[in-house]
């Protein structure tokens, strides 16, 4: 079974976790979230009550607040942490990130204080210039994904 870890339990991380899990029911989709109440809601009720109280998540989505547990044996990583917090977040988890783990960055925009893009932040914060990554971009909204509406994405 393949494991996809989603870093971030906000609206876009939740929507992408649901989207990926819906497409491949045999995937294990593990969300790394900060809020223990959101974690409990996802695991017990299959719902992120904070961002999408009216939407159920697929059964193959679960959550944890533990970096190591989330990243252990992950095959892919969807990075959905806001850009402004990405550098410090990635530095905190860097010891648990496999140097070959492919990252798919869902975060949009520039880091305000440095003007760095995610393509610069990921390898620098993880201290691995060869960390595999792609950046997903394009016009999309989390609610559109949750409602399974068409959206445009580029990589």
């Amino acid at each position: 079974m393949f494991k996809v870890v989603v870093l971030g339990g906000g609206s876009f991380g939740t929507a992408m976790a649901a989207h990926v899990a819906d497409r491949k029911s045999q995937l294990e989709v593990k969300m790394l979230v900060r809020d223990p109440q959101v974690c409990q809601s996802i695991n017990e009720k299959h719902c992120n009550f904070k961002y999408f109280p009216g939407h159920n998540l697929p059964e193959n989505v679960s959550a944890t607040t533990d970096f190591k547990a989330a990243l252990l044996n992950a095959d892919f990583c969807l990075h959905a942490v806001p850009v402004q917090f990405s550098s410090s977040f990635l530095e905190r988890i860097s010891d648990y990130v496999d140097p070959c783990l492919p990252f798919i960055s869902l975060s949009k925009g520039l880091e305000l204080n440095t003007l760095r893009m995610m393509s610069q932040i990921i390898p620098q914060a993880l201290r691995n210039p060869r960390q595999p990554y792609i950046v997903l971009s394009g016009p999309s909204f989390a609610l559109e994904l949750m409602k399974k509406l068409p959206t445009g994405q580029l990589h």
Side-chain angles (χ1 to χ4, degrees):
M1 179 183 282
F2 279 100
K3 178 179 178 181
V4 175
V5 63
V6 179
L7 305 179
S11 59
F12 210 76
T14 301
M16 284 301 286
H19 179 72
V20 169
D22 261 347
R23 298 252 180 217
K24 299 278 186 185
S25 61
Q26 68 273 22
L27 285 177
E28 175 189 357
V29 180
K30 180 71 78 175
M31 295 177 65
L32 176 60
V33 301
R34 280 186 328 183
D35 186 334
Q37 291 178 320
V38 168
C39 184
Q40 183 177 2
S41 174
I42 291 169
N43 290 333
E44 293 178 4
K45 299 176 182 167
H46 294 285
C47 174
N48 185 332
F49 76 93
K50 193 171 182 180
Y51 293 96
F52 292 110
H55 293 85
N56 288 328
L57 296 171
E59 293 290 319
N60 54 329
V61 174
S62 62
T64 184
T65 57
D66 180 337
F67 301 151
K68 189 175 181 179
L71 290 159
L72 185 65
N73 298 321
D75 295 293
F76 295 96
C77 179
L78 298 177
H79 179 275
V81 175
V83 173
Q84 304 315 313
F85 306 106
S86 289
S87 187
S88 61
F89 174 79
L90 290 170
E91 287 169 3
R92 282 197 316 274
I93 69 167
S94 64
D95 289 341
Y96 305 107
V97 175
D98 184 304
C100 296
L101 178 64
F103 270 67
I104 302 165
S105 176
L106 311 175
S107 304
K108 298 177 183 177
L110 299 173
E111 189 177 47
L112 292 178
N113 58 339
T114 65
L115 300 180
R116 291 186 302 169
M117 298 177 289
M118 287 307 301
S119 60
Q120 297 166 302
I121 294 170
I122 290 171
Q124 288 175 8
L126 295 177
R127 298 183 306 274
N128 180 5
R130 294 180 175 256
Q131 189 76 43
Y133 69 87
I134 62 168
V135 177
L136 198 65
S137 65
S140 63
F141 297 96
L143 188 56
E144 290 174 344
L145 284 174
M146 287 301 283
K147 290 182 175 182
K148 300 179 183 175
L149 296 173
T151 183
Q153 293 290 322
L154 306 169
H155 67 278

PDB file of all heavy atoms in Angstrom, residues 34-59:
ATOM      1  N   ARG A  34      -1.636  20.358  13.158  1.00  0.00           N
ATOM      2  CA  ARG A  34      -1.178  20.968  14.413  1.00  0.00           C
ATOM      3  C   ARG A  34      -2.183  20.803  15.538  1.00  0.00           C
ATOM      4  O   ARG A  34      -1.825  20.582  16.679  1.00  0.00           O
ATOM      5  CB  ARG A  34      -0.977  22.477  14.226  1.00  0.00           C
ATOM      6  CG  ARG A  34       0.271  22.894  13.585  1.00  0.00           C
ATOM      7  CD  ARG A  34       0.410  24.390  13.582  1.00  0.00           C
ATOM      8  NE  ARG A  34      -0.894  25.066  13.485  1.00  0.00           N
ATOM      9  CZ  ARG A  34      -1.072  26.352  13.413  1.00  0.00           C
ATOM     10  NH1 ARG A  34      -0.049  27.153  13.433  1.00  0.00           N
ATOM     11  NH2 ARG A  34      -2.264  26.886  13.318  1.00  0.00           N
ATOM     12  N   ASP A  35      -3.446  20.968  15.228  1.00  0.00           N
ATOM     13  CA  ASP A  35      -4.508  21.047  16.218  1.00  0.00           C
ATOM     14  C   ASP A  35      -4.989  19.652  16.629  1.00  0.00           C
ATOM     15  O   ASP A  35      -5.543  18.917  15.805  1.00  0.00           O
ATOM     16  CB  ASP A  35      -5.668  21.853  15.622  1.00  0.00           C
ATOM     17  CG  ASP A  35      -6.784  22.148  16.585  1.00  0.00           C
ATOM     18  OD1 ASP A  35      -6.978  21.380  17.555  1.00  0.00           O
ATOM     19  OD2 ASP A  35      -7.493  23.154  16.366  1.00  0.00           O
ATOM     20  N   PRO A  36      -4.804  19.277  17.899  1.00  0.00           N
ATOM     21  CA  PRO A  36      -5.243  17.951  18.358  1.00  0.00           C
ATOM     22  C   PRO A  36      -6.748  17.721  18.187  1.00  0.00           C
ATOM     23  O   PRO A  36      -7.172  16.593  17.941  1.00  0.00           O
ATOM     24  CB  PRO A  36      -4.859  17.924  19.840  1.00  0.00           C
ATOM     25  CG  PRO A  36      -3.826  18.975  20.005  1.00  0.00           C
ATOM     26  CD  PRO A  36      -4.111  20.028  18.966  1.00  0.00           C
ATOM     27  N   GLN A  37      -7.552  18.778  18.268  1.00  0.00           N
ATOM     28  CA  GLN A  37      -8.997  18.618  18.086  1.00  0.00           C
ATOM     29  C   GLN A  37      -9.344  18.319  16.630  1.00  0.00           C
ATOM     30  O   GLN A  37     -10.234  17.518  16.353  1.00  0.00           O
ATOM     31  CB  GLN A  37      -9.740  19.864  18.569  1.00  0.00           C
ATOM     32  CG  GLN A  37      -9.681  20.022  20.078  1.00  0.00           C
ATOM     33  CD  GLN A  37     -10.383  21.276  20.540  1.00  0.00           C
ATOM     34  OE1 GLN A  37     -10.280  22.335  19.901  1.00  0.00           O
ATOM     35  NE2 GLN A  37     -11.087  21.179  21.652  1.00  0.00           N
ATOM     36  N   VAL A  38      -8.642  18.962  15.706  1.00  0.00           N
ATOM     37  CA  VAL A  38      -8.846  18.664  14.282  1.00  0.00           C
ATOM     38  C   VAL A  38      -8.415  17.228  14.011  1.00  0.00           C
ATOM     39  O   VAL A  38      -9.100  16.483  13.308  1.00  0.00           O
ATOM     40  CB  VAL A  38      -8.080  19.662  13.383  1.00  0.00           C
ATOM     41  CG1 VAL A  38      -8.054  19.193  11.936  1.00  0.00           C
ATOM     42  CG2 VAL A  38      -8.698  21.049  13.484  1.00  0.00           C
ATOM     43  N   CYS A  39      -7.293  16.829  14.580  1.00  0.00           N
ATOM     44  CA  CYS A  39      -6.797  15.461  14.423  1.00  0.00           C
ATOM     45  C   CYS A  39      -7.845  14.459  14.899  1.00  0.00           C
ATOM     46  O   CYS A  39      -8.164  13.489  14.202  1.00  0.00           O
ATOM     47  CB  CYS A  39      -5.492  15.301  15.210  1.00  0.00           C
ATOM     48  SG  CYS A  39      -4.704  13.709  15.009  1.00  0.00           S
ATOM     49  N   GLN A  40      -8.397  14.683  16.067  1.00  0.00           N
ATOM     50  CA  GLN A  40      -9.409  13.786  16.627  1.00  0.00           C
ATOM     51  C   GLN A  40     -10.662  13.757  15.754  1.00  0.00           C
ATOM     52  O   GLN A  40     -11.229  12.695  15.501  1.00  0.00           O
ATOM     53  CB  GLN A  40      -9.762  14.236  18.048  1.00  0.00           C
ATOM     54  CG  GLN A  40     -10.744  13.324  18.742  1.00  0.00           C
ATOM     55  CD  GLN A  40     -11.023  13.751  20.178  1.00  0.00           C
ATOM     56  OE1 GLN A  40     -10.512  14.765  20.660  1.00  0.00           O
ATOM     57  NE2 GLN A  40     -11.823  12.978  20.861  1.00  0.00           N
ATOM     58  N   SER A  41     -11.082  14.911  15.265  1.00  0.00           N
ATOM     59  CA  SER A  41     -12.259  14.994  14.409  1.00  0.00           C
ATOM     60  C   SER A  41     -12.065  14.198  13.110  1.00  0.00           C
ATOM     61  O   SER A  41     -12.962  13.476  12.673  1.00  0.00           O
ATOM     62  CB  SER A  41     -12.551  16.462  14.083  1.00  0.00           C
ATOM     63  OG  SER A  41     -13.585  16.588  13.150  1.00  0.00           O
ATOM     64  N   ILE A  42     -10.880  14.320  12.520  1.00  0.00           N
ATOM     65  CA  ILE A  42     -10.594  13.584  11.283  1.00  0.00           C
ATOM     66  C   ILE A  42     -10.584  12.082  11.547  1.00  0.00           C
ATOM     67  O   ILE A  42     -11.167  11.299  10.792  1.00  0.00           O
ATOM     68  CB  ILE A  42      -9.258  14.052  10.668  1.00  0.00           C
ATOM     69  CG1 ILE A  42      -9.404  15.483  10.132  1.00  0.00           C
ATOM     70  CG2 ILE A  42      -8.787  13.099   9.571  1.00  0.00           C
ATOM     71  CD1 ILE A  42      -8.099  16.153   9.746  1.00  0.00           C
ATOM     72  N   ASN A  43      -9.946  11.659  12.627  1.00  0.00           N
ATOM     73  CA  ASN A  43      -9.818  10.228  12.912  1.00  0.00           C
ATOM     74  C   ASN A  43     -11.114   9.581  13.395  1.00  0.00           C
ATOM     75  O   ASN A  43     -11.383   8.424  13.076  1.00  0.00           O
ATOM     76  CB  ASN A  43      -8.708   9.990  13.934  1.00  0.00           C
ATOM     77  CG  ASN A  43      -7.347  10.255  13.354  1.00  0.00           C
ATOM     78  OD1 ASN A  43      -7.128  10.146  12.157  1.00  0.00           O
ATOM     79  ND2 ASN A  43      -6.413  10.644  14.204  1.00  0.00           N
ATOM     80  N   GLU A  44     -11.908  10.306  14.162  1.00  0.00           N
ATOM     81  CA  GLU A  44     -13.115   9.713  14.738  1.00  0.00           C
ATOM     82  C   GLU A  44     -14.368   9.947  13.900  1.00  0.00           C
ATOM     83  O   GLU A  44     -15.245   9.091  13.845  1.00  0.00           O
ATOM     84  CB  GLU A  44     -13.338  10.234  16.160  1.00  0.00           C
ATOM     85  CG  GLU A  44     -12.255   9.763  17.121  1.00  0.00           C
ATOM     86  CD  GLU A  44     -12.426  10.311  18.529  1.00  0.00           C
ATOM     87  OE1 GLU A  44     -13.438  11.013  18.804  1.00  0.00           O
ATOM     88  OE2 GLU A  44     -11.534  10.039  19.357  1.00  0.00           O
ATOM     89  N   LYS A  45     -14.454  11.111  13.256  1.00  0.00           N
ATOM     90  CA  LYS A  45     -15.678  11.457  12.520  1.00  0.00           C
ATOM     91  C   LYS A  45     -15.458  11.604  11.019  1.00  0.00           C
ATOM     92  O   LYS A  45     -16.389  11.922  10.287  1.00  0.00           O
ATOM     93  CB  LYS A  45     -16.267  12.750  13.084  1.00  0.00           C
ATOM     94  CG  LYS A  45     -16.657  12.615  14.549  1.00  0.00           C
ATOM     95  CD  LYS A  45     -17.146  13.921  15.109  1.00  0.00           C
ATOM     96  CE  LYS A  45     -17.464  13.737  16.589  1.00  0.00           C
ATOM     97  NZ  LYS A  45     -17.643  14.989  17.285  1.00  0.00           N
ATOM     98  N   HIS A  46     -14.223  11.426  10.577  1.00  0.00           N
ATOM     99  CA  HIS A  46     -13.856  11.606   9.160  1.00  0.00           C
ATOM    100  C   HIS A  46     -14.323  12.964   8.636  1.00  0.00           C
ATOM    101  O   HIS A  46     -14.902  13.061   7.551  1.00  0.00           O
ATOM    102  CB  HIS A  46     -14.372  10.456   8.306  1.00  0.00           C
ATOM    103  CG  HIS A  46     -13.713   9.164   8.634  1.00  0.00           C
ATOM    104  ND1 HIS A  46     -12.431   8.859   8.250  1.00  0.00           N
ATOM    105  CD2 HIS A  46     -14.135   8.118   9.376  1.00  0.00           C
ATOM    106  CE1 HIS A  46     -12.104   7.678   8.716  1.00  0.00           C
ATOM    107  NE2 HIS A  46     -13.108   7.204   9.406  1.00  0.00           N
ATOM    108  N   CYS A  47     -14.030  13.986   9.440  1.00  0.00           N
ATOM    109  CA  CYS A  47     -14.441  15.339   9.096  1.00  0.00           C
ATOM    110  C   CYS A  47     -13.466  16.332   9.719  1.00  0.00           C
ATOM    111  O   CYS A  47     -13.076  16.171  10.872  1.00  0.00           O
ATOM    112  CB  CYS A  47     -15.854  15.570   9.641  1.00  0.00           C
ATOM    113  SG  CYS A  47     -16.454  17.245   9.443  1.00  0.00           S
ATOM    114  N   ASN A  48     -13.056  17.331   8.952  1.00  0.00           N
ATOM    115  CA  ASN A  48     -12.279  18.433   9.516  1.00  0.00           C
ATOM    116  C   ASN A  48     -13.297  19.502   9.906  1.00  0.00           C
ATOM    117  O   ASN A  48     -13.697  20.325   9.087  1.00  0.00           O
ATOM    118  CB  ASN A  48     -11.270  18.976   8.500  1.00  0.00           C
ATOM    119  CG  ASN A  48     -10.368  20.051   9.085  1.00  0.00           C
ATOM    120  OD1 ASN A  48     -10.744  20.765  10.000  1.00  0.00           O
ATOM    121  ND2 ASN A  48      -9.179  20.171   8.523  1.00  0.00           N
ATOM    122  N   PHE A  49     -13.725  19.461  11.176  1.00  0.00           N
ATOM    123  CA  PHE A  49     -14.796  20.337  11.651  1.00  0.00           C
ATOM    124  C   PHE A  49     -14.443  21.817  11.532  1.00  0.00           C
ATOM    125  O   PHE A  49     -15.332  22.663  11.423  1.00  0.00           O
ATOM    126  CB  PHE A  49     -15.163  20.006  13.108  1.00  0.00           C
ATOM    127  CG  PHE A  49     -14.177  20.517  14.120  1.00  0.00           C
ATOM    128  CD1 PHE A  49     -14.352  21.763  14.716  1.00  0.00           C
ATOM    129  CD2 PHE A  49     -13.050  19.778  14.470  1.00  0.00           C
ATOM    130  CE1 PHE A  49     -13.435  22.242  15.645  1.00  0.00           C
ATOM    131  CE2 PHE A  49     -12.129  20.259  15.391  1.00  0.00           C
ATOM    132  CZ  PHE A  49     -12.332  21.497  15.983  1.00  0.00           C
ATOM    133  N   LYS A  50     -13.166  22.133  11.542  1.00  0.00           N
ATOM    134  CA  LYS A  50     -12.729  23.531  11.534  1.00  0.00           C
ATOM    135  C   LYS A  50     -12.869  24.171  10.148  1.00  0.00           C
ATOM    136  O   LYS A  50     -13.217  25.341  10.031  1.00  0.00           O
ATOM    137  CB  LYS A  50     -11.276  23.601  12.005  1.00  0.00           C
ATOM    138  CG  LYS A  50     -10.789  24.981  12.347  1.00  0.00           C
ATOM    139  CD  LYS A  50      -9.424  24.888  13.011  1.00  0.00           C
ATOM    140  CE  LYS A  50      -8.908  26.242  13.419  1.00  0.00           C
ATOM    141  NZ  LYS A  50      -7.596  26.132  14.062  1.00  0.00           N
ATOM    142  N   TYR A  51     -12.588  23.414   9.101  1.00  0.00           N
ATOM    143  CA  TYR A  51     -12.584  23.976   7.748  1.00  0.00           C
ATOM    144  C   TYR A  51     -13.713  23.468   6.860  1.00  0.00           C
ATOM    145  O   TYR A  51     -14.178  24.198   5.984  1.00  0.00           O
ATOM    146  CB  TYR A  51     -11.236  23.730   7.064  1.00  0.00           C
ATOM    147  CG  TYR A  51     -10.126  24.499   7.724  1.00  0.00           C
ATOM    148  CD1 TYR A  51      -9.316  23.912   8.680  1.00  0.00           C
ATOM    149  CD2 TYR A  51      -9.919  25.838   7.421  1.00  0.00           C
ATOM    150  CE1 TYR A  51      -8.309  24.642   9.310  1.00  0.00           C
ATOM    151  CE2 TYR A  51      -8.924  26.574   8.039  1.00  0.00           C
ATOM    152  CZ  TYR A  51      -8.123  25.968   8.987  1.00  0.00           C
ATOM    153  OH  TYR A  51      -7.140  26.688   9.610  1.00  0.00           O
ATOM    154  N   PHE A  52     -14.122  22.218   7.037  1.00  0.00           N
ATOM    155  CA  PHE A  52     -15.173  21.645   6.196  1.00  0.00           C
ATOM    156  C   PHE A  52     -16.153  20.834   7.037  1.00  0.00           C
ATOM    157  O   PHE A  52     -16.249  19.614   6.891  1.00  0.00           O
ATOM    158  CB  PHE A  52     -14.557  20.753   5.107  1.00  0.00           C
ATOM    159  CG  PHE A  52     -13.763  21.512   4.095  1.00  0.00           C
ATOM    160  CD1 PHE A  52     -12.389  21.390   4.052  1.00  0.00           C
ATOM    161  CD2 PHE A  52     -14.383  22.356   3.197  1.00  0.00           C
ATOM    162  CE1 PHE A  52     -11.639  22.093   3.124  1.00  0.00           C
ATOM    163  CE2 PHE A  52     -13.641  23.077   2.259  1.00  0.00           C
ATOM    164  CZ  PHE A  52     -12.272  22.931   2.226  1.00  0.00           C
ATOM    165  N   PRO A  53     -16.898  21.498   7.909  1.00  0.00           N
ATOM    166  CA  PRO A  53     -17.787  20.760   8.813  1.00  0.00           C
ATOM    167  C   PRO A  53     -18.878  19.966   8.096  1.00  0.00           C
ATOM    168  O   PRO A  53     -19.365  18.976   8.630  1.00  0.00           O
ATOM    169  CB  PRO A  53     -18.386  21.857   9.698  1.00  0.00           C
ATOM    170  CG  PRO A  53     -18.206  23.132   8.950  1.00  0.00           C
ATOM    171  CD  PRO A  53     -16.975  22.951   8.111  1.00  0.00           C
ATOM    172  N   GLY A  54     -19.235  20.351   6.893  1.00  0.00           N
ATOM    173  CA  GLY A  54     -20.303  19.652   6.175  1.00  0.00           C
ATOM    174  C   GLY A  54     -19.832  18.608   5.195  1.00  0.00           C
ATOM    175  O   GLY A  54     -20.631  18.078   4.426  1.00  0.00           O
ATOM    176  N   HIS A  55     -18.545  18.281   5.190  1.00  0.00           N
ATOM    177  CA  HIS A  55     -18.000  17.340   4.214  1.00  0.00           C
ATOM    178  C   HIS A  55     -17.310  16.178   4.926  1.00  0.00           C
ATOM    179  O   HIS A  55     -16.470  16.389   5.793  1.00  0.00           O
ATOM    180  CB  HIS A  55     -16.974  18.035   3.311  1.00  0.00           C
ATOM    181  CG  HIS A  55     -17.576  19.063   2.424  1.00  0.00           C
ATOM    182  ND1 HIS A  55     -17.800  20.363   2.833  1.00  0.00           N
ATOM    183  CD2 HIS A  55     -18.014  18.983   1.148  1.00  0.00           C
ATOM    184  CE1 HIS A  55     -18.341  21.040   1.834  1.00  0.00           C
ATOM    185  NE2 HIS A  55     -18.481  20.232   0.805  1.00  0.00           N
ATOM    186  N   ASN A  56     -17.667  14.973   4.517  1.00  0.00           N
ATOM    187  CA  ASN A  56     -16.997  13.790   5.059  1.00  0.00           C
ATOM    188  C   ASN A  56     -15.756  13.478   4.254  1.00  0.00           C
ATOM    189  O   ASN A  56     -15.740  13.623   3.032  1.00  0.00           O
ATOM    190  CB  ASN A  56     -17.934  12.581   5.047  1.00  0.00           C
ATOM    191  CG  ASN A  56     -19.023  12.703   6.087  1.00  0.00           C
ATOM    192  OD1 ASN A  56     -18.816  13.293   7.146  1.00  0.00           O
ATOM    193  ND2 ASN A  56     -20.181  12.161   5.786  1.00  0.00           N
ATOM    194  N   LEU A  57     -14.723  13.024   4.961  1.00  0.00           N
ATOM    195  CA  LEU A  57     -13.481  12.611   4.316  1.00  0.00           C
ATOM    196  C   LEU A  57     -13.542  11.116   4.033  1.00  0.00           C
ATOM    197  O   LEU A  57     -14.202  10.363   4.761  1.00  0.00           O
ATOM    198  CB  LEU A  57     -12.287  12.917   5.227  1.00  0.00           C
ATOM    199  CG  LEU A  57     -12.058  14.397   5.516  1.00  0.00           C
ATOM    200  CD1 LEU A  57     -10.992  14.569   6.595  1.00  0.00           C
ATOM    201  CD2 LEU A  57     -11.647  15.131   4.255  1.00  0.00           C
ATOM    202  N   PRO A  58     -12.848  10.662   2.996  1.00  0.00           N
ATOM    203  CA  PRO A  58     -12.801   9.226   2.716  1.00  0.00           C
ATOM    204  C   PRO A  58     -12.221   8.439   3.898  1.00  0.00           C
ATOM    205  O   PRO A  58     -11.441   8.969   4.695  1.00  0.00           O
ATOM    206  CB  PRO A  58     -11.872   9.134   1.495  1.00  0.00           C
ATOM    207  CG  PRO A  58     -11.928  10.486   0.865  1.00  0.00           C
ATOM    208  CD  PRO A  58     -12.105  11.454   2.004  1.00  0.00           C
ATOM    209  N   GLU A  59     -12.594   7.182   3.985  1.00  0.00           N
ATOM    210  CA  GLU A  59     -12.159   6.314   5.082  1.00  0.00           C
ATOM    211  C   GLU A  59     -10.645   6.129   5.123  1.00  0.00           C
ATOM    212  O   GLU A  59     -10.090   5.842   6.185  1.00  0.00           O
ATOM    213  CB  GLU A  59     -12.836   4.940   4.979  1.00  0.00           C
ATOM    214  CG  GLU A  59     -14.335   4.982   5.201  1.00  0.00           C
ATOM    215  CD  GLU A  59     -14.707   5.274   6.641  1.00  0.00           C
ATOM    216  OE1 GLU A  59     -14.056   4.741   7.561  1.00  0.00           O
ATOM    217  OE2 GLU A  59     -15.667   6.045   6.845  1.00  0.00           O
TER     218      GLU A  59
END
